[in-house]
């Protein structure tokens, strides 16, 4: 079994994994990151989207063994350390951009990456940027509205002057990296 050392939501995990185990199953079954759902398991729906080194990736298309040395962020890792929702989470909530919520963690993480690359997207650019994430419920109008709302908030935050040492990172980094006993892993990730 391959040895890996992967950082997930700011916590380093030194682990042994099955060579064939998908990242999404490692996150859910080994680390308890059940806020990362499995939709299609065939790289079509985007429900399992996480950030890998800050870029969105479908965790059902990556082997856990491929993540050694990388940093993974799930929906459970984008809140502030005080539990404050990420602006994208808040925007999805306030814009009613979800119904069943199954697609929402992936939508939110794909949006974080989209807005990192393009802080001022048009509606069409949002639709194209999120085309790998499917929602069976909302019709997408409120999702586009939420992304525009989050974009405006992030642009405003970026424009605010910051004091020395203050950061305006869109994905908060959790400080302590440690070797992890799976029994102490977080119980669940939560979507907005
Ligand atoms: S579960 Fe990964 S893309 Fe559908
Ligand atoms: S809110 Fe139900 S699949 Fe998107």
């Amino acid at each position: 079994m391959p040895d890996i050392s992967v950082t997930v939501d700011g916590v380093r995990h030194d682990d042994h994994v099955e060579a064939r185990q998908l990242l999404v199953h490692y996150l859910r079954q080994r680390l308890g990151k059940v806020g990362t759902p499995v939709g299609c398991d065939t790289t079509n729906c985007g429900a399992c989207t996480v950030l890998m080194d800050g870029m969105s990736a479908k965790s059902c298309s990556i082997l856990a063994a491929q993540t050694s040395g990388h940093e993974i962020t799930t929906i459970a890792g984008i809140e502030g350390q005080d539990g404050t929702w990420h602006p994208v989470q808040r925007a999805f909530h306030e814009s009613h951009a979800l119904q069943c919520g199954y697609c929402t963690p992936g939508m939110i993480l794909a949006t974080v990456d989209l807005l990192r690359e393009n802080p001022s997207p048009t509606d069409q650019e949002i639709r194209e940027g999120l085309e790998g994430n499917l929602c069976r419920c909302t019709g997408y109008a409120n999702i586009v509205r939420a992304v525009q709302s989050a974009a405006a908030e992030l642009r405003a935050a970026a424009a605010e002057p910051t004091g020395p040492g203050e950061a305006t990172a869109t994905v908060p980094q959790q400080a302590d990296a440690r070797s992890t006993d799976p029994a102490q892993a977080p119980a669940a990730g939560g979507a907005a």
Side-chain angles (χ1 to χ4, degrees):
M1 297 206 301
D3 292 333
I4 63 169
S5 179
V6 57
T7 299
V8 179
D9 295 339
V11 177
R12 198 183 79 226
H13 299 269
D14 298 317
D15 219 338
H16 308 288
V17 293
E18 293 282 349
R20 64 182 180 177
Q21 186 173 42
L22 297 174
L23 175 59
V24 66
H25 297 310
Y26 175 73
L27 292 172
R28 290 177 56 85
Q29 296 167 8
R30 180 72 169 168
L31 304 186
K33 300 285 185 182
V34 294
T36 303
V38 180
C40 62
D41 228 354
T42 55
T43 78
N44 285 303
C45 74
C48 65
T49 299
V50 296
L51 300 179
M52 185 165 172
D53 300 331
M55 290 181 284
S56 66
K58 293 176 178 176
S59 59
C60 75
S61 68
I62 300 169
L63 295 171
Q66 293 176 293
T67 63
S68 195
H70 294 281
E71 186 162 329
I72 304 297
T73 304
T74 75
I75 191 66
I78 66 166
E79 291 180 351
Q81 290 186 2
D82 61 355
T84 306
W85 279 356
H86 188 283
V88 176
Q89 289 178 295
R90 198 160 52 246
F92 269 66
H93 174 69
E94 292 173 354
S95 299
H96 306 291
L98 63 148
Q99 289 182 32
C100 79
Y102 206 82
C103 71
T104 309
M107 284 284 183
I108 287 173
L109 290 165
T111 297
V112 170
D113 186 26
L114 171 69
L115 296 181
R116 179 186 60 80
E117 286 197 329
N118 182 0
S120 301
T122 64
D123 286 0
Q124 184 60 28
E125 287 170 337
I126 291 169
R127 289 180 181 276
E128 290 173 1
L130 297 180
E131 66 184 0
N133 292 73
L134 305 180
C135 177
R136 66 183 181 180
C137 302
T138 67
Y140 299 97
N142 284 5
I143 290 175
V144 173
R145 197 169 299 135
V147 177
Q148 289 291 15
S149 173
E153 181 174 342
L154 289 168
R155 286 195 302 271
E160 284 178 7
T162 56
E166 292 182 38
T168 55
T170 56
V171 178
Q173 300 299 309
Q174 296 172 12
D176 67 316
R178 60 184 168 81
S179 223
T180 303
D181 174 354
Q184 297 176 359

